[in-house]
Amino acid sequence: MEKESELDGSVMLQKSVKRLHFGSWEEKEMAAIAIEKLAKEDVKARKLMAELGVIHMLVSMVATEVVGRHRAAIKALIQLANGNSTNKALMLEAGILSKLPKYINVVDEQTRQEFAELLLSLSSISNTDFCPNKPEILRFLIGILESPCSFETKELCLGVLYNLSAVLENAGALVSNGVVHTLLNLSSSFKELSEKALAALGHLVVTLMGKKAMEDSSMVPQSLIEILTWEDKPKCIELSAYILMILAHQSSTQRDKMSKAGIVPVLVEVSLMGSLLAQKRAMKLLQWFKDERQAKMGPHSGPQTGRVPLGSPLHPKEAQEGKKMMKNLVKQSLHKNMEMITRRANGGGVVDSSNLKSLVSKSLTF
């Protein structure tokens, strides 16, 4: 039975290839459907089809205006690309990227999704032919991400941008085409897409052009600080904290913007309630703000013994009482903040005073 099945598959493959090359348009469409089925079921058939010139013919079919024909070709190419880098390279060589629709609004939703799925598969290989320098790619991806397409299609396109952003050499083309703005907008507007968008931004922020684009954006740092408050998205908090760390590092201008935007109390909460990685990053940022504040104060900015007016001697007992009073005030203030944060974490429940005192003492030590 296995031999008969293999024979049937071989016969179907021969007929499909013949129809694809020499048949009418209707026969070509039926052949593409059959090739999709064969490629999905038989790994060996995928390699053989490439040797028989199937890929170039299918790529040429993608440009046809008849919806059924180009959809059949795209679906067949998706299966042929599955796990086969040679086939992917052949598709790029045959010019599949030039067949992307120029106007998103004239293409039906299913076709957009299938194109996006094929692009995601092609972008996963290390191939210089798949690069954002080709305007068709970014025009298609950004067009979908900024249009009212389905969540699934947007997610596929974000996957493509993530793969492209992982290659440092692609940063220039991505940034110059406005990808940073698109990703920032998605990360703060759609929680379901935020993690992948932030991950792509994390790739770009380590490049000079990417960092500069984020520094100049009107959405930064407010949108990233807002993401730090998403208690139901711990991974997003970690990624946002990472991006803020890169932006704040060795940049007093960015730290000043963050401070004015109210980042410090948010970081305090993350350092207490976030994941271990988020806590570590929040603590690092808080340390930078603390160091910068101390540096601005300088050795002569605080009260100095030499500045005490004549006739107002500073007794050791008075100094000790003053220190004790200040410590109590700080402790009370911190206790109130901790109580508010803990109550939020407990969903408005009863606060454990013993745990709260422990947290306060640890915070005072730090």
Side-chain angles (χ1 to χ4, degrees):
M1 289 180 66
E2 287 182 6
K3 288 183 178 180
E4 287 179 0
S5 178
E6 288 180 5
L7 185 60
D8 290 342
S10 178
V11 171
M12 184 183 294
L13 176 59
Q14 290 178 23
K15 287 183 178 180
S16 298
V17 171
K18 185 176 180 180
R19 287 175 178 173
L20 189 66
H21 281 288
F22 307 109
S24 63
W25 277 114
E26 288 73 17
E27 289 176 319
K28 290 179 188 291
E29 183 178 337
M30 295 304 296
I33 294 171
I35 288 170
E36 178 202 354
K37 185 174 183 296
L38 285 169
K40 188 175 183 178
E41 297 172 351
D42 191 346
V43 176
K44 293 180 180 178
R46 296 176 198 165
K47 183 178 179 181
L48 182 58
M49 287 180 199
E51 296 172 355
L52 295 173
V54 165
I55 289 176
H56 277 72
M57 286 301 300
L58 289 172
V59 169
S60 66
M61 279 182 65
V62 172
T64 61
E65 295 182 359
V66 180
V67 175
R69 291 172 194 167
H70 68 236
R71 281 194 57 195
I74 295 169
K75 291 167 77 172
L77 289 169
I78 289 171
Q79 295 304 324
L80 288 168
N82 186 17
N84 193 311
S85 58
T86 301
N87 287 358
K88 293 177 184 180
L90 286 172
M91 292 176 201
L92 292 169
E93 186 180 297
I96 184 64
L97 298 180
S98 64
K99 306 296 190 288
L100 291 170
K102 294 181 179 179
Y103 305 103
I104 301 300
N105 57 340
V106 298
V107 183
D108 65 279
E109 176 62 32
Q110 193 60 39
T111 301
R112 296 177 196 171
Q113 186 169 332
E114 288 163 357
F115 263 119
E117 186 177 351
L118 180 58
L119 285 179
L120 180 60
S121 180
L122 294 175
S123 69
S124 65
I125 67 170
S126 177
N127 193 303
T128 54
D129 287 333
F130 193 91
C131 62
N133 290 326
K134 298 181 183 299
E136 302 92 349
I137 304 175
L138 295 182
R139 182 174 61 228
F140 177 79
L141 296 173
I142 294 175
I144 285 181
L145 291 172
E146 294 183 349
S147 66
C149 289
S150 68
F151 168 80
E152 292 77 12
T153 306
K154 287 179 182 286
E155 191 173 32
L156 290 168
C157 289
L158 268 179
V160 180
L161 287 180
Y162 174 83
N163 289 341
L164 289 172
S165 66
V167 181
L168 290 177
E169 290 78 8
N170 292 339
L174 291 171
V175 173
S176 61
N177 281 277
V179 167
V180 168
H181 175 80
T182 301
L183 291 174
L184 283 170
N185 188 46
L186 282 172
S187 66
S188 58
S189 303
F190 300 92
K191 278 192 174 184
E192 298 81 2
L193 300 172
S194 183
E195 184 176 328
K196 185 68 75 174
L198 288 168
L201 287 169
H203 287 155
L204 294 174
V205 75
V206 298
T207 67
L208 290 175
M209 288 186 68
K211 185 179 180 184
K212 182 69 166 58
M214 290 180 220
E215 288 174 343
D216 294 341
S217 173
S218 60
M219 289 184 279
V220 176
Q222 283 83 0
S223 63
L224 295 172
I225 295 173
E226 174 64 26
I227 292 170
L228 292 179
T229 66
W230 292 357
E231 297 175 4
D232 58 332
K233 294 289 183 181
K235 188 65 178 178
C236 292
I237 293 175
E238 293 173 1
L239 291 167
S240 182
Y242 170 76
I243 295 169
L244 287 165
M245 279 182 64
I246 301 298
L247 293 173
H249 182 58
Q250 296 184 344
S251 176
S252 59
T253 303
Q254 292 304 311
R255 289 195 296 271
D256 187 54
K257 284 173 65 177
M258 294 176 193
S259 181
K260 289 178 179 177
I263 194 174
V264 172
V266 178
L267 289 174
V268 170
E269 185 168 348
V270 173
S271 68
L272 294 169
M273 311 301 298
S275 66
L276 289 176
L277 182 57
Q279 287 180 10
K280 184 178 178 181
R281 290 171 175 172
M283 294 291 279
K284 189 69 175 178
L285 279 162
L286 284 170
Q287 186 63 50
W288 288 347
F289 285 111
K290 178 182 176 183
D291 293 344
E292 186 169 47
R293 185 173 65 252
Q294 291 177 343
K296 285 180 178 179
M297 287 175 64
H300 302 293
S301 59
Q304 305 295 322
T305 304
R307 295 185 182 181
V308 177
L310 293 174
S312 302
L314 188 65
H315 297 291
K317 186 178 179 180
E318 292 177 352
Q320 188 65 28
E321 289 177 354
K323 287 180 181 179
K324 188 176 180 180
M325 182 180 68
M326 286 301 296
K327 187 174 181 180
N328 287 334
L329 286 172
V330 171
K331 194 171 184 179
Q332 289 173 12
S333 176
L334 187 55
H335 189 281
K336 288 181 180 178
N337 289 335
M338 291 286 194
E339 186 178 3
M340 180 181 68
I341 292 170
T342 308
R343 185 177 289 110
R344 285 174 59 188
N346 291 337
V350 180
V351 179
D352 188 339
S353 60
S354 61
N355 289 340
L356 198 59
K357 289 179 180 178
S358 175
L359 281 172
V360 171
S361 62
K362 288 180 182 178
S363 299
L364 284 173
T365 303
F366 171 76

mmCIF file of all heavy atoms in Angstrom, residues 120 154-163 165 183 186-187 190-203 235-236 239:
data_model
loop_
_atom_site.group_PDB
_atom_site.id
_atom_site.type_symbol
_atom_site.label_atom_id
_atom_site.label_comp_id
_atom_site.label_asym_id
_atom_site.label_seq_id
_atom_site.Cartn_x
_atom_site.Cartn_y
_atom_site.Cartn_z
ATOM 1 N N LEU A 120 7.050 36.025 6.571
ATOM 2 C CA LEU A 120 7.609 35.600 7.862
ATOM 3 C C LEU A 120 8.513 34.394 7.676
ATOM 4 O O LEU A 120 9.593 34.316 8.271
ATOM 5 C CB LEU A 120 6.469 35.262 8.830
ATOM 6 C CG LEU A 120 6.909 34.797 10.220
ATOM 7 C CD1 LEU A 120 7.731 35.868 10.925
ATOM 8 C CD2 LEU A 120 5.703 34.419 11.066
ATOM 9 N N LYS A 154 -1.475 41.269 11.570
ATOM 10 C CA LYS A 154 -0.543 42.203 12.201
ATOM 11 C C LYS A 154 0.560 41.447 12.944
ATOM 12 O O LYS A 154 1.727 41.839 12.921
ATOM 13 C CB LYS A 154 -1.295 43.128 13.173
ATOM 14 C CG LYS A 154 -2.155 44.188 12.497
ATOM 15 C CD LYS A 154 -2.868 45.040 13.554
ATOM 16 C CE LYS A 154 -3.780 46.075 12.914
ATOM 17 N NZ LYS A 154 -3.040 47.183 12.305
ATOM 18 N N GLU A 155 0.179 40.372 13.625
ATOM 19 C CA GLU A 155 1.157 39.594 14.382
ATOM 20 C C GLU A 155 2.202 38.982 13.452
ATOM 21 O O GLU A 155 3.397 38.951 13.775
ATOM 22 C CB GLU A 155 0.444 38.501 15.169
ATOM 23 C CG GLU A 155 1.332 37.795 16.189
ATOM 24 C CD GLU A 155 0.547 36.837 17.061
ATOM 25 O OE1 GLU A 155 -0.446 36.255 16.563
ATOM 26 O OE2 GLU A 155 0.910 36.668 18.232
ATOM 27 N N LEU A 156 1.771 38.501 12.302
ATOM 28 C CA LEU A 156 2.704 37.945 11.320
ATOM 29 C C LEU A 156 3.680 39.018 10.823
ATOM 30 O O LEU A 156 4.889 38.777 10.712
ATOM 31 C CB LEU A 156 1.934 37.351 10.142
ATOM 32 C CG LEU A 156 1.145 36.066 10.418
ATOM 33 C CD1 LEU A 156 0.204 35.765 9.265
ATOM 34 C CD2 LEU A 156 2.084 34.893 10.654
ATOM 35 N N CYS A 157 3.155 40.212 10.542
ATOM 36 C CA CYS A 157 4.001 41.307 10.060
ATOM 37 C C CYS A 157 4.989 41.761 11.129
ATOM 38 O O CYS A 157 6.144 42.097 10.815
ATOM 39 C CB CYS A 157 3.136 42.482 9.611
ATOM 40 S SG CYS A 157 2.222 42.164 8.090
ATOM 41 N N LEU A 158 4.562 41.775 12.375
ATOM 42 C CA LEU A 158 5.475 42.108 13.468
ATOM 43 C C LEU A 158 6.600 41.089 13.569
ATOM 44 O O LEU A 158 7.746 41.433 13.868
ATOM 45 C CB LEU A 158 4.713 42.156 14.797
ATOM 46 C CG LEU A 158 4.149 43.511 15.220
ATOM 47 C CD1 LEU A 158 3.408 43.375 16.545
ATOM 48 C CD2 LEU A 158 5.243 44.555 15.343
ATOM 49 N N GLY A 159 6.260 39.833 13.311
ATOM 50 C CA GLY A 159 7.282 38.788 13.305
ATOM 51 C C GLY A 159 8.342 39.040 12.249
ATOM 52 O O GLY A 159 9.538 38.810 12.471
ATOM 53 N N VAL A 160 7.916 39.529 11.092
ATOM 54 C CA VAL A 160 8.866 39.850 10.014
ATOM 55 C C VAL A 160 9.785 40.994 10.450
ATOM 56 O O VAL A 160 11.010 40.936 10.270
ATOM 57 C CB VAL A 160 8.127 40.226 8.713
ATOM 58 C CG1 VAL A 160 9.138 40.563 7.605
ATOM 59 C CG2 VAL A 160 7.217 39.092 8.270
ATOM 60 N N LEU A 161 9.197 42.055 11.015
ATOM 61 C CA LEU A 161 10.003 43.186 11.481
ATOM 62 C C LEU A 161 10.963 42.763 12.590
ATOM 63 O O LEU A 161 12.099 43.253 12.664
ATOM 64 C CB LEU A 161 9.097 44.316 11.976
ATOM 65 C CG LEU A 161 8.345 45.102 10.910
ATOM 66 C CD1 LEU A 161 7.484 46.192 11.553
ATOM 67 C CD2 LEU A 161 9.305 45.726 9.900
ATOM 68 N N TYR A 162 10.512 41.859 13.453
ATOM 69 C CA TYR A 162 11.385 41.356 14.514
ATOM 70 C C TYR A 162 12.599 40.650 13.905
ATOM 71 O O TYR A 162 13.736 40.872 14.320
ATOM 72 C CB TYR A 162 10.605 40.396 15.411
ATOM 73 C CG TYR A 162 11.464 39.719 16.455
ATOM 74 C CD1 TYR A 162 11.776 40.361 17.655
ATOM 75 C CD2 TYR A 162 11.973 38.438 16.237
ATOM 76 C CE1 TYR A 162 12.571 39.750 18.606
ATOM 77 C CE2 TYR A 162 12.769 37.821 17.184
ATOM 78 C CZ TYR A 162 13.071 38.487 18.367
ATOM 79 O OH TYR A 162 13.872 37.871 19.293
ATOM 80 N N ASN A 163 12.352 39.785 12.918
ATOM 81 C CA ASN A 163 13.456 39.076 12.263
ATOM 82 C C ASN A 163 14.407 40.042 11.562
ATOM 83 O O ASN A 163 15.632 39.881 11.620
ATOM 84 C CB ASN A 163 12.911 38.060 11.259
ATOM 85 C CG ASN A 163 12.245 36.870 11.931
ATOM 86 O OD1 ASN A 163 12.477 36.602 13.116
ATOM 87 N ND2 ASN A 163 11.416 36.158 11.203
ATOM 88 N N SER A 165 14.878 43.250 12.301
ATOM 89 C CA SER A 165 15.565 44.109 13.272
ATOM 90 C C SER A 165 16.690 43.383 13.994
ATOM 91 O O SER A 165 17.575 44.021 14.573
ATOM 92 C CB SER A 165 14.560 44.649 14.304
ATOM 93 O OG SER A 165 14.036 43.603 15.102
ATOM 94 N N LEU A 183 6.326 50.883 15.579
ATOM 95 C CA LEU A 183 6.485 49.930 16.672
ATOM 96 C C LEU A 183 6.114 50.556 18.019
ATOM 97 O O LEU A 183 5.474 49.912 18.857
ATOM 98 C CB LEU A 183 7.928 49.418 16.719
ATOM 99 C CG LEU A 183 8.366 48.519 15.555
ATOM 100 C CD1 LEU A 183 9.851 48.212 15.650
ATOM 101 C CD2 LEU A 183 7.564 47.217 15.545
ATOM 102 N N LEU A 186 2.322 50.727 18.207
ATOM 103 C CA LEU A 186 1.724 49.414 18.444
ATOM 104 C C LEU A 186 1.961 48.934 19.872
ATOM 105 O O LEU A 186 1.082 48.359 20.500
ATOM 106 C CB LEU A 186 2.297 48.385 17.464
ATOM 107 C CG LEU A 186 1.760 48.412 16.040
ATOM 108 C CD1 LEU A 186 2.574 47.475 15.157
ATOM 109 C CD2 LEU A 186 0.297 47.991 16.009
ATOM 110 N N SER A 187 3.168 49.178 20.380
ATOM 111 C CA SER A 187 3.524 48.676 21.707
ATOM 112 C C SER A 187 2.664 49.284 22.802
ATOM 113 O O SER A 187 2.366 48.633 23.810
ATOM 114 C CB SER A 187 5.000 48.955 22.002
ATOM 115 O OG SER A 187 5.252 50.347 22.106
ATOM 116 N N PHE A 190 -1.717 48.351 21.592
ATOM 117 C CA PHE A 190 -2.260 46.992 21.533
ATOM 118 C C PHE A 190 -1.458 46.087 22.473
ATOM 119 O O PHE A 190 -0.341 45.681 22.145
ATOM 120 C CB PHE A 190 -2.193 46.440 20.105
ATOM 121 C CG PHE A 190 -2.966 47.250 19.103
ATOM 122 C CD1 PHE A 190 -2.343 48.264 18.386
ATOM 123 C CD2 PHE A 190 -4.308 47.001 18.873
ATOM 124 C CE1 PHE A 190 -3.039 49.019 17.455
ATOM 125 C CE2 PHE A 190 -5.017 47.752 17.949
ATOM 126 C CZ PHE A 190 -4.386 48.763 17.238
ATOM 127 N N LYS A 191 -2.042 45.777 23.625
ATOM 128 C CA LYS A 191 -1.330 44.955 24.598
ATOM 129 C C LYS A 191 -0.964 43.584 24.028
ATOM 130 O O LYS A 191 0.088 43.028 24.354
ATOM 131 C CB LYS A 191 -2.178 44.760 25.864
ATOM 132 C CG LYS A 191 -2.097 45.915 26.850
ATOM 133 C CD LYS A 191 -2.717 45.526 28.179
ATOM 134 C CE LYS A 191 -2.521 46.619 29.223
ATOM 135 N NZ LYS A 191 -3.015 46.231 30.543
ATOM 136 N N GLU A 192 -1.830 43.037 23.179
ATOM 137 C CA GLU A 192 -1.586 41.707 22.630
ATOM 138 C C GLU A 192 -0.382 41.692 21.690
ATOM 139 O O GLU A 192 0.238 40.646 21.486
ATOM 140 C CB GLU A 192 -2.820 41.195 21.873
ATOM 141 C CG GLU A 192 -4.070 41.020 22.731
ATOM 142 C CD GLU A 192 -4.812 42.336 22.953
ATOM 143 O OE1 GLU A 192 -4.372 43.369 22.399
ATOM 144 O OE2 GLU A 192 -5.813 42.334 23.688
ATOM 145 N N LEU A 193 -0.072 42.840 21.095
ATOM 146 C CA LEU A 193 1.054 42.924 20.154
ATOM 147 C C LEU A 193 2.282 43.584 20.773
ATOM 148 O O LEU A 193 3.345 43.640 20.147
ATOM 149 C CB LEU A 193 0.632 43.727 18.912
ATOM 150 C CG LEU A 193 -0.538 43.169 18.097
ATOM 151 C CD1 LEU A 193 -0.953 44.166 17.016
ATOM 152 C CD2 LEU A 193 -0.170 41.841 17.458
ATOM 153 N N SER A 194 2.134 44.067 21.986
ATOM 154 C CA SER A 194 3.178 44.888 22.595
ATOM 155 C C SER A 194 4.499 44.140 22.773
ATOM 156 O O SER A 194 5.574 44.692 22.526
ATOM 157 C CB SER A 194 2.699 45.413 23.951
ATOM 158 O OG SER A 194 3.663 46.266 24.520
ATOM 159 N N GLU A 195 4.436 42.892 23.209
ATOM 160 C CA GLU A 195 5.675 42.158 23.509
ATOM 161 C C GLU A 195 6.568 42.034 22.283
ATOM 162 O O GLU A 195 7.775 42.293 22.349
ATOM 163 C CB GLU A 195 5.331 40.774 24.057
ATOM 164 C CG GLU A 195 6.564 39.990 24.485
ATOM 165 C CD GLU A 195 6.215 38.648 25.111
ATOM 166 O OE1 GLU A 195 5.152 38.538 25.758
ATOM 167 O OE2 GLU A 195 7.010 37.702 24.957
ATOM 168 N N LYS A 196 5.984 41.656 21.142
ATOM 169 C CA LYS A 196 6.784 41.501 19.922
ATOM 170 C C LYS A 196 7.288 42.854 19.423
ATOM 171 O O LYS A 196 8.431 42.961 18.955
ATOM 172 C CB LYS A 196 5.941 40.815 18.846
ATOM 173 C CG LYS A 196 6.699 40.488 17.578
ATOM 174 C CD LYS A 196 7.736 39.410 17.777
ATOM 175 C CE LYS A 196 7.153 38.041 17.908
ATOM 176 N NZ LYS A 196 8.159 36.973 17.954
ATOM 177 N N ALA A 197 6.466 43.895 19.545
ATOM 178 C CA ALA A 197 6.887 45.236 19.118
ATOM 179 C C ALA A 197 8.037 45.743 19.988
ATOM 180 O O ALA A 197 9.017 46.314 19.487
ATOM 181 C CB ALA A 197 5.706 46.202 19.179
ATOM 182 N N LEU A 198 7.940 45.532 21.302
ATOM 183 C CA LEU A 198 9.000 45.964 22.215
ATOM 184 C C LEU A 198 10.287 45.180 21.984
ATOM 185 O O LEU A 198 11.390 45.726 22.099
ATOM 186 C CB LEU A 198 8.543 45.791 23.664
ATOM 187 C CG LEU A 198 7.482 46.781 24.157
ATOM 188 C CD1 LEU A 198 6.907 46.323 25.493
ATOM 189 C CD2 LEU A 198 8.072 48.186 24.293
ATOM 190 N N ALA A 199 10.151 43.902 21.659
ATOM 191 C CA ALA A 199 11.337 43.089 21.384
ATOM 192 C C ALA A 199 12.081 43.615 20.152
ATOM 193 O O ALA A 199 13.318 43.680 20.139
ATOM 194 C CB ALA A 199 10.929 41.634 21.175
ATOM 195 N N ALA A 200 11.330 44.017 19.117
ATOM 196 C CA ALA A 200 11.957 44.599 17.927
ATOM 197 C C ALA A 200 12.613 45.939 18.259
ATOM 198 O O ALA A 200 13.713 46.244 17.791
ATOM 199 C CB ALA A 200 10.917 44.776 16.822
ATOM 200 N N LEU A 201 11.938 46.749 19.083
ATOM 201 C CA LEU A 201 12.525 48.024 19.524
ATOM 202 C C LEU A 201 13.789 47.783 20.336
ATOM 203 O O LEU A 201 14.745 48.563 20.265
ATOM 204 C CB LEU A 201 11.508 48.807 20.359
ATOM 205 C CG LEU A 201 10.344 49.446 19.597
ATOM 206 C CD1 LEU A 201 9.286 49.954 20.562
ATOM 207 C CD2 LEU A 201 10.836 50.588 18.704
ATOM 208 N N GLY A 202 13.811 46.694 21.095
ATOM 209 C CA GLY A 202 15.000 46.342 21.855
ATOM 210 C C GLY A 202 16.189 46.045 20.966
ATOM 211 O O GLY A 202 17.342 46.318 21.328
ATOM 212 N N HIS A 203 15.924 45.484 19.780
ATOM 213 C CA HIS A 203 17.001 45.277 18.805
ATOM 214 C C HIS A 203 17.509 46.608 18.250
ATOM 215 O O HIS A 203 18.710 46.801 18.068
ATOM 216 C CB HIS A 203 16.498 44.415 17.634
ATOM 217 C CG HIS A 203 16.304 42.975 17.980
ATOM 218 N ND1 HIS A 203 15.423 42.163 17.293
ATOM 219 C CD2 HIS A 203 16.853 42.191 18.943
ATOM 220 C CE1 HIS A 203 15.454 40.946 17.816
ATOM 221 N NE2 HIS A 203 16.313 40.943 18.815
ATOM 222 N N LYS A 235 6.411 40.368 30.883
ATOM 223 C CA LYS A 235 7.451 40.387 29.851
ATOM 224 C C LYS A 235 7.564 41.768 29.213
ATOM 225 O O LYS A 235 8.667 42.236 28.908
ATOM 226 C CB LYS A 235 7.141 39.326 28.783
ATOM 227 C CG LYS A 235 8.254 39.126 27.772
ATOM 228 C CD LYS A 235 9.500 38.572 28.413
ATOM 229 C CE LYS A 235 10.593 38.337 27.382
ATOM 230 N NZ LYS A 235 11.845 37.838 28.008
ATOM 231 N N CYS A 236 6.439 42.420 29.017
ATOM 232 C CA CYS A 236 6.438 43.777 28.460
ATOM 233 C C CYS A 236 7.145 44.746 29.409
ATOM 234 O O CYS A 236 7.871 45.641 28.959
ATOM 235 C CB CYS A 236 5.012 44.251 28.189
ATOM 236 S SG CYS A 236 4.173 43.375 26.850
ATOM 237 N N LEU A 239 10.898 44.243 29.007
ATOM 238 C CA LEU A 239 11.407 44.812 27.756
ATOM 239 C C LEU A 239 11.409 46.333 27.790
ATOM 240 O O LEU A 239 12.357 46.979 27.323
ATOM 241 C CB LEU A 239 10.564 44.306 26.582
ATOM 242 C CG LEU A 239 10.706 42.815 26.248
ATOM 243 C CD1 LEU A 239 9.609 42.366 25.309
ATOM 244 C CD2 LEU A 239 12.080 42.540 25.622
#
